[in-house]
């Protein structure tokens, strides 16, 4: 690659970033470690590349696109600069990730990684692909998944580190501009210069899994069945890799979510098989999703706001979870989150995920550790049944499922969930007229009864502010609120919602809300997801859950 006119260690990019050393170099450019001259002690990774002649505007469009991505397995891009008259190179400033690349880790381990570790790596890569392929208006195809572009950070998490040839998938485009990709990991259609789509990334994922399972061999050079080269791999994993490596895209799995489901099932199975009798049954029960219901004492108390705050705290703690809007309440989550822009194409709304025999995975909306399960706007379903709720919950495969029930505690489809829940969060705000209503007082007695039966009930004081009557308000509740959410300025709430963020996180009030829920998560899950809270009767039918999404 011609990098004449590029920068060298010691140079300063745009009067801000001093290049310290070359971190890596390949066919698509160089990566530098740079120090930030404005933020003392801060270091970044800076990718230097030469865009195709006449395509500077295309580079800027793609860089702007990638800078908007937010996912824990993708590096955060913070700045970018196009070519200039004096320098043909373009630069992308991104998060500097400490860790080791996957190929280096395999070499360090003598070419052998445990199958369980490989499955976990595959699952995390799939989560990133579900996010990328779900982008709007078109999916983002990474196109260069290979071990040297995959890093294990200091916490053991998978990170995709090079977006050099990622592109939007445009159905009307007959082929890619250039047949880019890494031999040994690129899909056959990519190497031929034909059109790539999300299934091309799934082929590359299969090639990476094969590389890890075989101790460093390339899938394209294999002969004979996979089992000959991957002797320590479980048969279901080999079958999945075989499907991913099909030459024709239509013969591969069609969605990353489908592959993610299969890998997650493999993650659980070895743990169960290694245990005997009662221990396996215990693990199976504890592996069920933990159901958390979030509701308001009355409409407008702030249940949706509290559910999103809880989701942010779980994401910060690294817990995979879902926020599900129960179909019996008036839909608002999709609009609040700017679903028209952020939800993936073909997204399956909450009230469309109740089929008893779902034969294909639903298109899910995953951002980082959070899956959003929103109802279709204008589709409130008051006739929703408890049986439909069971089937619906069975399509959500996350460790924690937060269900926003609004103020519909007494609806039959909601009431049956309360005794099965791992916890209830009840939201109230300082509105004396609403608190004194007879139906609210009756609901308070019912919630107190649930608490006496052993269902953990946590009270949330929303819009809590210093006031001479604050004590009177709190005494109207059956228990002192464990979570206090401050009042946000109405203008800031509106601004945040127009940006698709329910919680204005940068405000002092937002920081206080985050701290309150972080403390709750620490109390509720003191030893992680599987060990905290009482065991309860599950409302997920195990046979129904196993093949659905």
């Amino acid at each position: 690659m011609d990098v004449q006119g590029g920068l060298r260690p010691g140079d300063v990019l745009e009067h801000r970033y001093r290049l310290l050393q070359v971190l890596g170099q390949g066919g698509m450019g160089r990566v530098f470690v740079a120090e930030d001259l404005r933020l003392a002690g801060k270091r970044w990774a800076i990718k230097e590349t030469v865009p195709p002649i006449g395509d500077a505007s295309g580079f800027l469009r793609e860089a702007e696109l990638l800078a908007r991505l937010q996912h824990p397995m993708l590096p955060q891009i913070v700045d970018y600069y196009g070519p200039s008259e004096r320098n043909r190179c373009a630069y992308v400033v991104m998060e500097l990730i400490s860790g080791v690349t996957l190929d280096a880790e395999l070499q360090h381990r003598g070419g052998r990684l445990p199958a369980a570790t490989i499955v976990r790596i595959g699952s995390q890569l799939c989560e990133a692909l579900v996010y990328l392929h779900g982008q709007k208006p078109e999916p983002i195809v990474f196109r260069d998944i290979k071990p040297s572009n995959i890093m294990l950070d200091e916490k053991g998490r998978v990170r995709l580190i090079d977006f050099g040839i990622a592109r939007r998938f445009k159905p009307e485009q007959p082929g890619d501009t250039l047949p880019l990709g890494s031999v040994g990991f690129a899909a056959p259609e990519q190497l031929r210069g034909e059109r790539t789509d999300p299934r091309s990334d799934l082929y590359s994922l299969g090639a990476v899994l094969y590389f890890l399972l075989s101790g460093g061999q390339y899938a394209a050079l294999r002969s004979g069945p996979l089992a000959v080269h991957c002797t320590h791999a479980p048969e279901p994993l080999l079958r999945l890799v075989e499907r991913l490596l099909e030459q024709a895209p239509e013969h591969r799995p069609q969605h990353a979510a489908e592959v993610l489901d299969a890998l997650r099932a493999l993650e659980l199975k070895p743990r169960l098989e290694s245990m005997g009798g009662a221990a396996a049954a215990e693990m199976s029960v504890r592996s069920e999703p933990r159901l958390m219901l979030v509701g308001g004492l009355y409409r407008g108390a702030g249940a949706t706001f509290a559910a999103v705050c809880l989701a942010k705290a779980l994401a910060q703690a690294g817990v995979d979870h879902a926020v599900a809007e129960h179909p019996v309440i008036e839909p608002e989550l999709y609009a609040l989150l700017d679903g028209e822009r952020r939800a993936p194409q073909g997204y399956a709304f909450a009230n469309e995920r109740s089929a008893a025999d779902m034969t294909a995975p639903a298109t899910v909306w995953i951002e980082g550790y959070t899956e959003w399960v929103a109802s279709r706007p204008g589709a409130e379903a008051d006739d929703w049944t408890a049986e439909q709720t069971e089937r619906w919950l069975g399509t959500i495969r996350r460790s924690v499922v937060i269900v926003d029930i609004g103020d519909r505690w007494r609806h039959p489809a909601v009431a049956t969930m309360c005794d099965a829940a791992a916890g209830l969060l009840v939201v109230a705000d300082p509105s004396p007229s609403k608190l004194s209503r007879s139906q609210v007082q009756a609901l308070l007695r019912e919630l107190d009864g649930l608490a006496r039966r052993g269902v953990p009930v946590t009270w949330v004081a929303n819009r809590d502010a210093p006031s001479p009557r604050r004590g009177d308000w709190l005494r109207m509740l059956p228990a002192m609120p464990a979570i206090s959410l401050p009042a946000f300025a109405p203008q800031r709430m509106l601004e945040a919602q127009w940006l698709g963020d329910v919680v204005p996180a940068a405000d002092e009030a937002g920081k206080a809300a985050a701290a309150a829920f972080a403390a709750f998560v620490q109390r509720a899950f003191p030893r992680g997801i599987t060990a905290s809270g009482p065991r309860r009767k599950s409302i997920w039918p195990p046979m129904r859950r196993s093949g659905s999404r």
Side-chain angles (χ1 to χ4, degrees), residues 340-363:
E340 286 295 328
R341 180 176 62 86
R342 290 168 55 186
Q345 289 182 318
Y347 172 62
F349 289 95
N351 41 5
E352 298 168 353
R353 290 173 59 167
S354 65
D357 54 347
M358 294 179 66
T359 56
T363 299

Side-chain angles (χ1 to χ4, degrees), residues 12 34 64 125 127 149 193 250 286 313 342 352 391 452 462 466 471 493 536:
V12 177
E64 182 179 0
L125 286 171
E127 288 188 22
N149 279 347
E250 60 269 22
R286 288 185 171 190
R342 290 168 55 186
E352 298 168 353
R391 295 196 297 269
R452 292 176 185 277
N462 191 26
M493 288 291 290
R536 302 195 169 278

Side-chain angles (χ1 to χ4, degrees), residues 350-528:
N351 41 5
E352 298 168 353
R353 290 173 59 167
S354 65
D357 54 347
M358 294 179 66
T359 56
T363 299
V364 295
W365 177 4
I366 296 177
E367 294 181 337
Y369 291 98
T370 308
E371 177 181 342
W372 302 109
V373 187
S375 291
R376 182 183 292 278
E380 182 177 351
D382 191 62
D383 58 349
W384 199 266
T385 66
E387 289 74 18
Q388 284 176 296
T389 298
E390 276 195 359
R391 295 196 297 269
W392 170 64
L393 288 171
T395 69
I396 306 172
R397 300 279 297 277
R398 311 297 282 180
S399 297
V400 175
V401 180
I402 305 164
V403 180
D404 177 7
I405 61 172
D407 64 337
R408 305 302 303 276
W409 297 94
R410 291 190 175 89
H411 192 286
V414 173
T416 56
M417 303 168 70
C418 291
D419 275 308
L424 312 178
L425 269 66
V426 188
V427 186
D429 67 359
S431 178
S433 62
K434 294 178 180 177
L435 277 169
S436 60
R437 293 173 180 170
S438 58
Q439 60 266 40
V440 171
Q441 291 300 309
L443 178 57
L444 286 172
R445 291 190 292 272
E446 291 176 20
L447 291 169
D448 186 53
L450 282 168
R452 292 176 185 277
R453 294 202 300 272
V455 179
V457 177
T458 300
W459 290 88
V460 181
N462 191 26
R463 306 183 187 99
D464 191 6
S467 165
R469 306 308 298 270
R470 182 174 182 269
D472 296 334
W473 163 44
L474 296 178
R475 279 190 290 273
M476 295 179 71
L477 303 177
M480 183 64 66
I483 300 172
S484 176
L485 301 179
F488 285 78
Q491 185 61 33
R492 285 295 294 118
M493 288 291 290
L494 286 174
E495 289 174 4
Q497 289 176 13
W498 277 105
L499 294 173
D501 190 2
V502 180
V503 184
D507 288 14
E508 288 302 315
K511 294 175 183 177
F517 271 96
F520 169 75
V521 167
Q522 190 173 18
R523 292 192 304 271
F525 309 110
R527 293 178 298 279

Side-chain angles (χ1 to χ4, degrees), residues 316-329:
Q316 187 65 32
V319 176
D320 73 287
H321 60 279
V323 177
E325 186 174 48
H326 200 292
V328 302
I329 70 173

Side-chain angles (χ1 to χ4, degrees), residues 91-111:
Y91 298 88
V92 176
V93 183
M94 66 187 77
E95 173 189 4
L96 178 63
I97 300 170
S98 298
V100 60
T101 59
L102 202 50
D103 52 354
E105 177 69 6
L106 184 66
Q107 186 176 3
H108 175 71
R109 298 282 193 95

Side-chain angles (χ1 to χ4, degrees), residues 127-145:
E127 288 188 22
L129 292 179
V130 167
Y131 175 75
L132 290 171
H133 296 170
Q135 294 299 302
K136 286 185 173 182
E138 297 97 11
I140 293 177
V141 185
F142 191 83
R143 299 202 303 165
D144 204 17
I145 297 173

Side-chain angles (χ1 to χ4, degrees), residues 167 170-177 193-196:
R167 64 179 284 272
K170 300 183 182 297
E172 71 280 2
Q173 187 169 305
D176 290 344
T177 306
E194 299 171 0
R195 184 178 66 179
T196 54

